[in-house]
Amino acid sequence: MIIDFHTHTFPEKNSAKVVQKLGNLSHTLPFTDGSVRELLASMKEARVDYSVNLPVMTTVDQVEKVNNSLIQQREELFAQGIITFGGMHPDYDNYKEELSRLKRSGILGIKLHPAYQNVDLDDMRMMRIIDYASELGLIVLTHAGIDIGINDHNYCSVSHILKVIDQVHPPKFVLAHMGNWGCWEDVEQDLAGAPVWLDTAFAVGSITPDPKQDKKPYLEENLPNEDFVRICRKHGVNRILFATDSPWQDQKDYIGRIQRTGLNKEELELVFSENARKLLSL
């Protein structure tokens, strides 16, 4: 079994436009148009059994509207292999009621994106959301590290994360991009071994630039294999989750990348499926 813990989809009527806009911002080439249809095709080709869909709420107005749609589609998506999380925005006032509604509706977790929400992770607005979501038993997955398209400030640095862990103690806390995109020395030095999960999304191997753009991505390479394996083992391979960040990585290619890193067979089984199965209670 393979579970991709970090993917994104958008409504089909405007998914291509959204992905193109984000690709222009990050100077990278997407591998699907961001629609459910193309994610399912990618999963079939890559033999991915489940993908976790992570919505990003960039405005307060999106919270109820997007969550409503995802709640309505939850069972249909799950039948096709897509496990959808809900989303929350730090400026949304009725966050307790909305998080409770997600929990009652069978949603397993939420996605936060400090960079796109323009709020540091250790801001009280973020920490109260993480605290209440954790109280409800929801998984909280946050973008961690520099964002490739918004790279003038790290809204979710290792120091921010350590403060949240110290003050909130979230039991199901997942940090995207191997704990801090572009800042993996800080992860290895200060975060590895902490009671969190790290996902592998957009963190291993080369970054594919958009050939139609003159500018190059913020980084051209992610973690080298040896650095990836060393961080995994220092952190604990039982807390590493396979993830691609589709549409920003090709699922089939990324599976091969992880297989070639140097993790052994037992470690790969944990990363590709067993850790996620336990966290998701599949």
Side-chain angles (χ1 to χ4, degrees), residues 158-159 162 178 180 183-194 198 227 230-231 234-235:
V158 167
S159 62
L162 292 173
M178 287 302 290
N180 228 256
C183 304
W184 294 294
E185 290 183 3
D186 295 339
V187 172
E188 186 169 6
Q189 179 176 327
D190 299 320
L191 186 62
L198 309 182
D227 293 354
R230 192 175 61 250
I231 292 173
K234 183 176 180 181
H235 184 66

Side-chain angles (χ1 to χ4, degrees), residues 9-273:
T9 64
F10 308 93
E12 188 153 355
K13 64 181 181 180
N14 62 359
S15 63
K17 184 182 293 186
V18 172
V19 168
Q20 181 180 10
K21 179 180 178 181
L22 294 172
N24 290 341
L25 188 65
S26 61
H27 315 300
T28 58
L29 185 70
F31 291 88
T32 78
D33 68 0
S35 66
V36 168
R37 173 179 48 82
E38 289 209 1
L39 174 60
L40 290 172
S42 171
M43 290 169 61
K44 183 177 181 180
E45 182 180 1
R47 298 185 179 181
V48 170
D49 297 276
Y50 291 99
S51 289
V52 178
N53 175 51
L54 303 174
V56 177
M57 309 301 186
T58 57
T59 67
V60 171
D61 293 340
Q62 291 177 333
V63 173
E64 291 180 32
K65 180 179 179 181
V66 174
N67 284 339
N68 283 343
S69 176
L70 295 174
I71 288 170
Q72 291 169 6
Q73 298 176 71
R74 184 185 69 84
E75 292 185 4
E76 179 184 352
L77 289 172
F78 183 75
Q80 298 176 87
I82 297 176
I83 300 168
T84 191
F85 279 17
M88 182 52 60
H89 192 280
D91 291 327
Y92 185 80
D93 290 333
N94 297 321
Y95 69 96
K96 287 189 175 182
E97 291 85 349
E98 185 67 4
L99 291 172
S100 297
R101 184 171 76 99
L102 291 172
K103 175 69 175 181
R104 290 194 304 271
S105 301
I107 298 292
L108 299 178
I110 62 167
K111 169 68 184 289
L112 299 173
H113 201 307
Y116 277 95
Q117 294 169 336
N118 197 32
V119 178
D120 287 344
L121 186 75
D122 63 351
D123 185 285
M124 182 52 64
R125 290 168 291 173
M126 284 291 204
M127 291 209 291
R128 67 185 185 181
I129 290 169
I130 297 168
D131 187 38
Y132 193 67
S134 298
E135 185 178 326
L136 293 172
L138 293 170
I139 299 166
V140 177
L141 190 152
T142 183
H143 172 89
I146 298 166
D147 184 86
I148 193 169
I150 306 173
N151 45 56
D152 58 337
H153 175 67
N154 191 344
Y155 290 87
C156 185
S157 67
V158 167
S159 62
H160 293 143
I161 292 165
L162 292 173
K163 182 178 176 180
V164 171
I165 294 171
D166 180 63
Q167 296 192 15
V168 181
H169 313 291
K172 298 180 181 180
F173 197 28
V174 180
L175 307 174
H177 313 299
M178 287 302 290
N180 228 256
W181 191 80
C183 304
W184 294 294
E185 290 183 3
D186 295 339
V187 172
E188 186 169 6
Q189 179 176 327
D190 299 320
L191 186 62
V196 296
W197 281 261
L198 309 182
D199 86 26
T200 69
F202 205 82
V204 177
S206 60
I207 296 170
T208 306
D210 186 343
K212 296 178 182 178
Q213 296 190 48
D214 295 330
K215 293 184 178 180
K216 293 182 178 181
Y218 179 77
L219 294 180
E220 295 185 51
E221 294 286 336
N222 285 311
L223 277 165
N225 289 344
E226 59 271 22
D227 293 354
F228 171 77
V229 171
R230 192 175 61 250
I231 292 173
C232 284
R233 290 174 176 165
K234 183 176 180 181
H235 184 66
V237 180
N238 63 323
R239 284 181 176 258
I240 305 295
L241 302 165
F242 172 70
T244 65
D245 207 5
S246 175
W248 305 110
Q249 293 284 4
D250 177 82
Q251 287 182 307
K252 185 177 181 179
D253 173 72
Y254 210 73
I255 289 169
R257 291 190 190 191
I258 298 298
Q259 290 172 329
R260 293 189 295 270
T261 56
L263 293 175
N264 63 42
K265 182 178 179 181
E266 291 76 17
E267 290 170 329
L268 288 172
E269 186 174 357
L270 288 171
V271 171
F272 278 126
S273 63

